[in-house]
Amino acid sequence: MKTRLTQMLGIRYPIMQGGMQNIGTPILASAVSNAGGLGTINATIYPKLEDLQEAIRETKERTNQPFCVNISLLPGVSVGDATKDVIRLCGQEGVAVIETAGTSPKELVPLIHEAGVLHFHKVPTIKHALSAERAGVDGVEVVGYECGGHPGAQGLGSIVLTNKAAKKCRIPVIAGGGYVDGFGLAAALAMGAEGVVLGTRFVAVKECPVHDNFKQWVVDAEETDTVLCQKSIRNMVRVADNATARECLELEKDPEITVEKLMPVIQGTRGRTCYANGDTDGCLFPIGTCVGLIETIPSVEEVIQSMIMEYEQAMKRLQGIG
């Protein structure tokens, strides 16, 4: 498949794995890259630079294909020395792409390009996509309200965002939010996107480093089984509708709620513990509405090959319609 995304990176298929906090590890990322997509490891999993370096090198041992490192920063936070060190490390280790999210990419672009790395930036609106383009990023991931994790506060769906971003942006647009199979891939490419970024689909795969209980939760869930938490602290997140999410929503009814008061419920350490012990009610579990389309727990290779077959089916159907 030839799109600007595949040609830019030398990958076989225009399918990218999202950052996936606590899940974007070398095993999953290398599996996606080996299957022809672009795998991603999440820098926040590795607070010590030497641990991130070890993860990058492990990924390189597992695959000789390009992969990405995700760097997510809180909105309005300036780039600190730790982030600069991560960027330099990615350049030294030959990482193909850095994905950024959360803050303006303007301060990051020169640092990432100086390191010799491509820069993709994740955005929730057309305004942010065009701003990132002006800042000089190499590609934008435009992610709709359906996504797991942090959607935009405006509630804009993926079809409108993908369609308009592809029309307005000169740089490659990668579509995210609700895309889970080859039919969605065909739709995204038809609208002008150069590829898709998937998160939720890569939770329910054999290589995902979470307890099987979470994978089965995804398989059993319907598209109505997610909720939006953390609106009160302006850091909205779409998660599984479980006991912890309901606890969070109850706390958020307090008009004087603060991040500090919510932290015992929303902290990432709870997620890491539960991902290991299988307690699907014990943490916030970022997941998108596309859970309603996931019915199996295959390997990453099987997911991507299935997507390509479905894409071809979609194209044949459209050709038949004429």
Side-chain angles (χ1 to χ4, degrees):
M1 297 181 68
K2 291 184 180 179
T3 72
R4 283 194 287 170
L5 178 62
T6 63
Q7 293 176 318
M8 178 187 293
L9 293 168
I11 58 179
R12 282 176 286 163
Y13 306 121
I15 300 167
M16 180 178 177
Q17 171 217 331
M20 304 173 69
Q21 187 177 20
N22 292 326
I23 294 176
T25 61
I27 292 176
L28 181 59
S30 60
V32 174
S33 291
N34 283 332
L38 181 70
T40 302
I41 59 176
N42 192 312
T44 60
I45 301 175
Y46 309 99
K48 294 182 179 178
L49 194 66
E50 55 267 32
D51 292 336
L52 177 60
Q53 182 178 47
E54 184 177 334
I56 290 171
R57 291 183 175 179
E58 180 185 346
T59 307
K60 289 164 66 175
E61 289 174 0
R62 292 176 176 273
T63 183
N64 60 3
Q65 299 301 308
F67 63 92
C68 174
V69 169
N70 165 278
I71 301 174
S72 293
L73 300 173
L74 291 174
V77 175
S78 297
V79 180
D81 289 340
T83 300
K84 293 176 182 179
D85 288 342
V86 169
I87 292 169
R88 280 192 289 268
L89 174 65
C90 289
Q92 293 164 5
E93 293 293 334
V95 171
V97 182
I98 288 175
E99 173 196 64
T100 59
T103 192
S104 168
K106 188 174 181 179
E107 195 177 351
L108 294 161
V109 168
L111 300 174
I112 292 172
H113 285 165
E114 184 179 337
V117 182
L118 291 171
H119 183 184
F120 292 170
H121 187 63
K122 187 180 293 183
V123 299
T125 69
I126 304 302
K127 176 183 175 181
H128 289 95
L130 292 172
S131 176
E133 181 177 74
R134 289 192 297 270
V137 303
D138 300 291
V140 283
E141 300 164 53
V142 182
V143 181
Y145 201 57
E146 302 92 327
C147 75
H150 298 283
Q154 295 84 354
L156 302 171
S158 294
I159 288 181
V160 171
L161 286 178
T162 300
N163 198 339
K164 189 168 183 177
K167 287 181 170 71
K168 294 291 185 179
C169 295
R170 297 183 303 274
I171 58 176
V173 170
I174 304 159
Y179 294 101
V180 69
D181 55 23
F183 303 111
L185 173 62
L189 297 184
M191 288 186 284
E194 304 294 339
V196 293
V197 55
L198 312 181
T200 301
R201 172 65 271 192
F202 287 129
V203 174
V205 292
K206 293 175 182 176
E207 295 91 341
C208 183
V210 299
H211 195 282
D212 285 348
N213 289 357
F214 285 90
K215 302 177 188 183
Q216 192 61 46
W217 189 97
V218 170
V219 170
D220 294 338
E222 301 291 345
E223 61 275 11
T224 52
D225 289 336
T226 73
V227 293
L228 294 164
C229 293
Q230 298 179 196
K231 290 182 182 180
S232 62
I233 58 172
R234 298 184 180 181
N235 191 28
M236 185 170 65
V237 59
R238 185 180 297 281
V239 294
D241 184 2
N242 64 10
T244 297
R246 292 187 286 274
E247 180 183 359
C248 183
L249 291 172
E250 189 63 30
L251 288 171
E252 289 190 79
K253 291 179 181 179
D254 179 356
E256 297 182 359
I257 193 66
T258 62
V259 174
E260 289 74 23
K261 290 179 181 178
L262 278 182
M263 191 55 66
V265 175
I266 68 176
Q267 60 187 339
T269 53
R270 283 182 64 155
R272 286 193 291 273
T273 300
C274 292
Y275 284 171
N277 67 25
D279 181 4
T280 58
D281 271 316
C283 65
L284 292 184
F285 178 30
I287 214 77
T289 60
C290 66
V291 288
L293 294 170
I294 297 173
E295 298 178 343
T296 59
I297 307 173
S299 67
V300 167
E301 173 74 22
E302 288 167 336
V303 165
I304 291 182
Q305 287 304 313
S306 175
M307 288 183 68
I308 301 310
M309 286 190 290
E310 290 164 347
Y311 165 81
E312 292 170 349
Q313 290 171 18
M315 297 307 295
K316 288 178 181 178
R317 181 175 187 275
L318 293 176
Q319 290 167 2
I321 291 172

